[in-house]
Amino acid sequence: MTFALPDPEGLAPEVYPLAWLLGRWRGQGFVDYPGIEETAFTQEVEFASDGGPYLSYTSTIRLVVAPDDAAALESPEAAAPAPVWSTESGYWRIPPERPVGVSADKFPVEVLLSDPAGFVTVLVGEIGNGRVDLASDLVARVPGGAEVSASKRLFGLVKGQLMWAHDLAAFGHPMQTYASATLDRVDATAPADDDPQD
């Protein structure tokens, strides 16, 4: 499938390197961390543009729960919605200046995420060739917020699917695998392939 940028009249040139992320994505993954039993989840992610020099981002993860009665098995739409495990929202942007250390064939990227568990994370990294590597530059929390101290994230576009992995240092544990998922595009905002153009 050929990659196509959305209508350039509605997309700021500053975010062209991020354009392959645009749209809604949905899929499944697993969370597994000390104190958290390995659990399957579903996720919906949306990257959107309002014309500004950034993309907005939202994510909702719901735990997969087994139906508790025969009626739910026969009529899944009648079953109660799966509980929300986590949500986050924020903004992705390409900074106006290239920091030292960013690969020549990639672009720097900055991400600001807010989590209702009471913390915000600023991540920095690079994007290019269908891959995003991010590491936390700052994590700040309210007094009662989750004790998150650092995180790393990897996103990759593989055969039209958005795959991601999240490593986390939290609650006194060192950096380690926290969650991962594989998402499919669920709209036609920006068709994608393995080799997006930056």
Side-chain angles (χ1 to χ4, degrees):
M1 184 184 304
T2 301
F3 179 77
L5 284 174
D7 178 4
E9 291 183 17
L11 190 64
E14 293 91 338
V15 297
Y16 283 178
L18 303 171
W20 59 271
L21 292 164
L22 278 167
R24 284 188 316 133
W25 302 82
R26 185 178 299 139
Q28 296 183 331
F30 291 90
V31 60
D32 185 16
Y33 199 72
I36 303 171
E37 185 176 341
E38 181 176 331
T39 306
F41 62 77
T42 62
Q43 181 185 28
E44 185 160 320
V45 167
E46 182 172 13
F47 290 90
S49 171
D50 62 7
Y54 50 81
L55 297 184
S56 62
Y57 165 87
T58 58
S59 166
T60 300
I61 290 177
R62 295 179 179 274
L63 297 181
V64 173
V65 293
D68 56 6
D69 59 36
L73 287 173
E74 292 176 14
S75 179
E77 64 276 357
V84 172
W85 171 255
S86 71
T87 64
E88 59 184 10
S89 61
Y91 297 95
W92 290 51
R93 65 190 294 268
I94 303 297
E97 296 182 14
R98 177 181 290 271
V100 174
V102 174
S103 303
D105 62 339
K106 297 187 178 181
F107 291 87
V109 61
E110 300 171 336
V111 178
L112 173 64
L113 297 178
S114 175
D115 190 303
F119 65 95
V120 295
T121 306
V122 175
L123 300 118
V124 296
E126 53 185 33
I127 183 170
N129 305 315
R131 179 180 169 127
V132 184
D133 291 279
L134 296 168
S136 58
D137 184 56
L138 170 74
V139 179
R141 65 186 185 94
V142 297
E147 296 177 14
V148 174
S149 56
S151 68
K152 293 181 181 178
R153 303 207 188 188
L154 168 66
F155 293 79
L157 188 66
V158 180
K159 296 186 179 177
Q161 292 182 304
L162 182 61
M163 299 181 176
W164 64 261
H166 183 178
D167 291 353
L168 189 66
F171 306 105
H173 300 293
M175 185 77 72
Q176 59 194 286
T177 299
Y178 168 66
S180 61
T182 300
L183 311 179
D184 293 307
R185 190 182 295 280
V186 294
D187 66 13
T189 300
D193 67 5
D194 295 306
D195 187 24
Q197 302 300 310
D198 290 335

